[in-house]
Amino acid sequence: MGLIVQKYGGTSVKDAERVMNVANRVVETYDKGNSVVVVVSAQGDTTDELIEKAMEINPKASKREMDMLLSSGEQISVSLLAMAVEKLGKPVISLTGWQAGFKTDSHYSAARIHKIDKERLQSELDKNKIVIVAGFQGLNKYEDITTLGRGGSDTSAVALAAALHADLCEIYTDVDGVYTADPRIVKNAHKLDDISYDEMLELASLGANVLHNRSVEMAKKYHVKLAVKSSLNRNEGTYVKEVDQVEKMLVRGVTRDNDCARIALCGIEDTPGKAYQVFALLSKHGISVDLIIQSIGNGEKKDISFTITEGELDNTVKLLEENKSALKIDDIKVKKDVSKVSIVGAGMVNNAGVATTMFEALYNADINISMIATSEIKISVLVDQKDAERAVAAIHDKFML
Ligand code: ADP
Ligand code: ASP
Ligand code: MG
C-alpha cells in the first residue's frame, strides 16, 4: 500500500475500449489500498491532428496559441477516463494541468516545470479519490497555458511522483519496456530488465522516445522509482535505477535520431577565435549545436561543420548568411537528410574496442560516417538518413547477438 503515479500514453487510451482497459487497471491498483494519481496523454494521434489543423490555418501560428490548442487533447482524455472510472463505481476526479497546480516557465511549446502547488491534489487524495491529471501542460506566470514539449506527459508524471513523494511511478505504453533498440525497427531487440538513470537519459536524448528525456532527468534528481511497462499485458517492465544497481553490459542500447541537419561552413579563415565567433553567435541566439567537427586547416582556410535540430535550421542559416562576410566564410552548405545513430552503455568507459566494433558494423553494411562524437557512456555517428535504420540494425546485431 502506498502512493502510486501511473501514466498512460496516447495509444493506451486511443479509443473507448482502451480507456475502459486503463480504468480497470487503475481501479485494480486503487482496490489494493493504494492512493492513485493517473496522468494521461491525448488519445491516439490527437496531438498530430491538432497540429495539422493549425497548419491548415496558419503555419506560422504563435507558440502561445499552439499550446492553447495542443493542451486540449489531454483535457479530452482525462474527462473520458474519469467517466470510465465513474462507471466502475469508484470516486474519481479529473484535473487539467493548471487545476493540478503545475506552474511552468514561459517557454511556450517547451516549458519547464517550476513547481507543483499540491493543495488541490492533496485534498482530493485525502477524500480517497482517484485523481486523473492531464499530462504535458501547465500554467505560466501570465496564467497562460504552456506545454512541456512532445512526449512531455512522462515528465508530468515523474514531476507529480517527485512532488507527492510517491512510492512508484509507472509509465504505461505500447511496448513491454525499454528495449536494446526501437522494437519497431529492430525485430530481435530485447527488453532490458533494468537500466541506469544515466544510460536512460542518454538513450532518451538520442532518440529513444519511449521516455521523455526530461522525465528521466527529473527521476534521477528526485530519486523517483521509475518503471516502464505495457498497458496491454501483465509482463514485467523495465526499472530505471541508480547505476550501481543495474546489470553492467558494454552496450545497452542503439538509437537513431532523424531530427538533425548538418551545416558546413567552408573556407573560414584559419586564425585563432573563429570557432569562438561562430558558436558565440549561435548561442547568443539560443541555437544549440550538437556534433561538431573542424578540418585541420592549412594556415589559410579551414572548414567547420556541426549539427542542429531541423526546427532550428531556417533560423540558423539566415543568421549565418547575415554574418557570412563578417565571419569571413566562403560558403555555407546545408544537408537535411541526415540521422544521428548512437550506442549507449555505462560499461563502455575505458573500453577502446567499442568504437572499433561500431565502425566495423557500419563498414560491413557499407554505410558512410560523416561525423563522430564520443563521451564516457555513448558514441554517436552521423549518417545519411536513408541508411539510419540499417545502421541501427547492423550495430545492434554486432553487439547484441
Ligand atoms: P506513449 O504514447 O505511450 O507515450 P511513445 O510512442 O511516446 O508512447 O513511446 C513508445 C514508443 O517508443 C514505442 O512504440 C517504440 O516504438 C518507441 N521506442 C523507441 N526506442 C525504444 C526503445 N529503445 N525501447 C522501447 N521503445 C522504444
Ligand atoms: N500528447 C503529447 C504528445 O503527443 C504529449 C505526450 O503524449 O506525452 O506529444
Ligand atoms: Mg511518449
Side-chain angles (χ1 to χ4, degrees):
M1 266 170 33
L3 173 63
I4 298 185
V5 175
Q6 299 186 329
K7 178 261 173 177
Y8 292 90
T11 40
S12 301
V13 292
K14 70 171 185 186
D15 54 26
E17 195 188 322
R18 291 274 173 93
V19 171
M20 277 319 298
N21 169 57
V22 168
N24 277 305
R25 297 182 75 119
V26 168
V27 165
E28 196 179 298
T29 310
Y30 177 80
D31 281 347
K32 285 182 186 152
N34 298 298
S35 299
V36 189
V37 176
V38 184
V39 172
V40 253
S41 299
Q43 291 185 287
D45 297 325
T46 303
T47 309
D48 291 324
E49 288 159 13
L50 290 170
I51 292 173
E52 274 172 36
K53 276 183 200 288
M55 293 306 113
E56 276 173 29
I57 290 171
N58 179 2
K60 291 192 171 149
S62 67
K63 289 185 173 172
R64 188 223 178 252
E65 297 310 330
M66 286 304 289
D67 280 3
M68 181 67 116
L69 176 70
L70 297 194
S71 64
S72 67
E74 272 68 14
Q75 200 170 328
I76 295 173
S77 346
V78 286
S79 49
L80 291 176
L81 181 58
M83 291 171 197
V85 174
E86 279 176 352
K87 193 171 168 185
L88 298 175
K90 303 294 170 182
V92 62
I93 186 163
S94 66
L95 300 174
T96 59
W98 45 104
Q99 286 175 313
F102 276 80
K103 296 286 157 60
T104 74
D105 66 14
S106 291
H107 203 308
Y108 297 105
S109 86
R112 283 188 172 255
I113 301 166
H114 274 333
K115 65 167 182 170
I116 300 178
D117 291 332
K118 293 184 287 186
E119 290 75 20
R120 179 73 188 272
L121 280 164
Q122 200 54 60
S123 85
E124 301 298 349
L125 286 170
D126 291 346
K127 289 180 223 156
N128 265 323
K129 286 190 187 170
I130 294 170
V131 183
I132 300 178
V133 179
F136 176 58
Q137 54 182 252
L139 210 61
N140 68 13
K141 64 179 175 189
Y142 308 111
E143 304 205 318
D144 278 342
I145 297 169
T146 54
T147 67
L148 308 179
R150 297 305 306 269
S153 296
D154 299 333
T155 301
S156 307
V158 173
L160 279 173
L164 296 167
H165 307 287
D167 298 285
L168 178 63
C169 181
E170 298 175 314
I171 306 288
Y172 285 97
T173 181
D174 56 2
V175 286
D176 284 4
V178 180
Y179 281 68
T180 48
D182 186 340
R184 289 182 210 219
I185 300 180
V186 179
K187 292 295 165 231
N188 52 15
H190 59 266
K191 197 195 76 197
L192 298 164
D193 292 335
D194 50 27
I195 186 163
S196 69
Y197 291 119
D198 292 326
E199 290 169 321
M200 191 62 235
L201 184 55
E202 288 290 1
L203 282 179
S205 307
L206 295 167
N209 56 359
V210 60
L211 283 178
H212 193 228
N213 62 353
R214 291 232 299 280
S215 72
V216 186
E217 209 172 71
M218 199 176 290
K220 178 181 156 119
K221 185 165 171 196
Y222 296 103
H223 309 284
V224 174
K225 210 175 149 198
L226 193 61
V228 181
K229 298 178 179 185
S230 168
S231 67
L232 304 171
N233 61 44
R234 303 279 164 178
N235 297 345
E236 274 291 313
T238 302
Y239 286 86
V240 190
K241 299 173 171 174
E242 294 295 346
V243 71
D244 54 340
Q245 298 169 336
V246 304
E247 194 193 341
K248 295 218 168 29
M249 272 161 54
L250 202 53
V251 174
R252 308 224 82 202
V254 187
T255 59
R256 65 104 201 256
D257 185 356
N258 288 342
D259 183 17
C260 41
R262 190 185 72 195
I263 296 183
L265 308 178
C266 305
I268 305 190
E269 224 178 48
D270 192 14
T271 50
K274 272 288 170 263
Y276 164 69
Q277 286 167 16
V278 169
F279 294 114
L281 176 72
L282 297 177
S283 72
K284 199 177 125 203
H285 289 80
I287 297 163
S288 20
V289 169
D290 189 18
L291 309 182
I292 302 176
I293 51 168
Q294 180 181 301
S295 65
I296 291 177
N298 57 10
E300 279 177 26
K301 298 273 171 138
K302 64 189 173 190
D303 300 338
I304 298 178
S305 306
F306 56 89
T307 64
I308 51 172
T309 60
E310 282 193 38
E312 303 205 283
L313 185 62
D314 291 346
N315 276 345
T316 309
V317 172
K318 188 164 167 268
L319 185 67
L320 288 166
E321 287 290 352
E322 283 164 8
N323 290 275
K324 196 172 160 186
S325 50
L327 290 168
K328 301 207 174 81
I329 302 169
D330 285 348
D331 195 13
I332 300 170
K333 287 186 185 150
V334 173
K335 188 164 163 56
K336 276 192 202 173
D337 46 356
V338 289
S339 288
K340 187 168 62 171
V341 173
S342 312
I343 56 176
V344 172
M348 69 171 74
V349 187
N350 301 330
N351 194 315
V354 189
T356 315
T357 308
M358 183 182 188
F359 301 156
E360 187 187 354
L362 293 168
Y363 166 64
N364 290 339
D366 198 22
I367 294 169
N368 194 39
I369 301 171
S370 68
M371 292 172 116
I372 301 171
T374 65
S375 82
E376 283 197 334
I377 68 165
K378 69 149 199 248
I379 301 173
S380 298
V381 297
L382 197 74
V383 301
D384 280 353
Q385 203 166 101
K386 66 171 173 38
D387 295 329
E389 291 197 1
R390 248 173 6 97
V392 170
I395 295 166
H396 187 272
D397 280 0
K398 191 93 187 159
F399 282 103
M400 309 289 178
L401 295 178

